[in-house]
Structures are given as structure tokens and as C-alpha cells.
Amino acid sequence: MSTHPDPLSTRWTMIDGLYGSQPEVAWHWFVERYRPFARNVLSAVLPSGSDVDAAESEFWGYLYLSRVVARADRERRFRGLLFGTLRNFARRWRDTRGLAPLPNEALDALADDESATASATRLWAHNVLRNGLARLRSESPTSADALERFYGIGPQDWPGGQNAPLAALEVADQLKLPRQGIYMQLHRGRARLRTILETELREGCADEESFRDELRLLLRIAATKVPGLME
């Protein structure tokens, strides 16, 4: 295994390496890839920032020792698997510290794909988009810069983490590109990002129907949070 794995390597191939000959490489890839999602889910079900810090630190150790992910059913959608693991971990974490049990309806709302609140699906979509933009940036930094500035994609989580979108001419001026050049970067960046995100989603699904469901969810959320980024 390379010491610098492709950030969009087939997910299960990399997961199989979590207990392989170079587990530190695979675990670094895994934790960095899913830390934003894990932290956001834990933040939604734990009472304070210090609790989230402690729980997140314990969560990665729990995954390693329990081998939950390594023993997972490969036919499941990866999004559901990781969310379910985080949800069960958070329940136990609260119980062992004498915190009031989290009402089932709170967890149900978090898992609800149609929820208007901070659902796990929305958090997952943000994580997928961030992974995709990171891959795009590794291939074409200018395209990534153009998309982030034109669409106001901020470094933090939705909602409240987006910057004000800039006009194309403002982006062109900041990136020192001609007017037609910025439109080309935006067009190419959107097309390549779409391909990257489809690859990302397909790797976490067992069949075409599951992939199409996940893609529809991502497109719906992206259309609400970043209109125009993905058709």
C-alpha cells in the first residue's frame, strides 16, 4: 500500500487495510476522511464541546479495538453503517457518564433524510462535498478556488459556514484570470466535481439503485445549500 493513498481509493479496499501490513496509513486516511462527519454527529447528540472532544477521541479507539467497520456487511450503504455506529457509540458514551438518555425521537430526527434540521444526511453531504473538493483541488487548484469563491463555499459546516458568493468578474480578478477564463474554470470544475462525487457515492453503495438514491439525496441537499453547483 502506498504511504500516500489516493484520497478517493475504493472505500472497502482501504478499510481492509485498517488491519493490514501498514494500518497507520489506512487509519490516517480513514480518520481524516470521516472526522468532520463523526464530529458533527457527535456534536448533535452530546451536550457540550468538551464532551464532543472527549467522545471523538474515544470513538476512533473504539472503532479500532472493536473492528466494527472491518467486520461490516459490504452490502450496506456506507453512510448508514457509519451513522449507525456513531449513534450507538454516543448512546453508550452518555450512559457510562450518567448523562440523561437521548430521546429516541432526537436520534430519529437526526437520521431522517427529509428532516429540515441538522440531519445526518445533510452532514454526510457536506463531508462528501468536502472530500470531492479536496480531490478537485489536488487535480486543479484553480478550478477549486473558482468554485469555492463563486459559490461562497466556506470552510465550516452548513449552515452558517458559507461565505458570500462573489461575482464571476470578482473571482477572475482575485485569481488573475481573464473573463472567459473564469467561466471555463467554473464549467470544467463543476463537471469534474460531479464526476468525483459520483465516484465517491458509488464506492459506498452495493448496487445501482442504492447509488441513485444517494446521488438524489446529495443533489437535493446541494441544490438547497449551494444552488447551481450541481445540476
Side-chain angles (χ1 to χ4, degrees), residues 207-221:
D207 53 46
E208 187 68 14
E209 182 180 0
S210 296
F211 162 69
R212 291 295 173 187
D213 285 345
E214 292 292 284
L215 180 59
R216 279 192 291 270
L217 284 172
L218 177 63
L219 291 176
R220 176 174 60 81
I221 293 170

Side-chain angles (χ1 to χ4, degrees), residues 110-149:
L110 187 64
D112 183 3
D113 286 341
E114 302 301 325
S115 174
T117 59
S119 73
T121 307
R122 181 180 59 79
L123 300 177
W124 179 260
H126 179 267
N127 204 92
V128 170
L129 177 61
R130 278 292 158 204
N131 287 339
L133 283 169
R135 173 61 179 266
L136 178 63
R137 182 171 295 284
S138 72
E139 298 178 356
S140 178
T142 302
S143 290
D145 279 339
L147 290 182
E148 290 185 351
R149 298 181 192 208

Side-chain angles (χ1 to χ4, degrees), residues 27-38:
W27 275 102
H28 175 78
W29 168 88
F30 185 86
V31 172
E32 289 304 306
R33 185 180 182 90
Y34 298 116
R35 171 173 280 144
F37 178 69

Side-chain angles (χ1 to χ4, degrees), residues 3 29 31 36 80 141 177 186:
T3 56
W29 168 88
V31 172
L177 292 172
L186 290 170

Side-chain angles (χ1 to χ4, degrees), residues 31-49:
V31 172
E32 289 304 306
R33 185 180 182 90
Y34 298 116
R35 171 173 280 144
F37 178 69
R39 186 168 184 86
N40 284 330
V41 171
L42 292 172
S43 295
V45 297
L46 296 177
S48 72

Side-chain angles (χ1 to χ4, degrees), residues 86-121:
L86 278 160
R87 180 174 56 188
N88 293 336
F89 170 82
R91 275 199 184 108
R92 287 193 293 270
W93 197 90
R94 292 176 67 99
D95 288 345
T96 59
R97 282 154 182 78
L99 298 174
L102 195 68
N104 286 334
E105 54 268 25
L107 290 171
D108 291 342
L110 187 64
D112 183 3
D113 286 341
E114 302 301 325
S115 174
T117 59
S119 73
T121 307

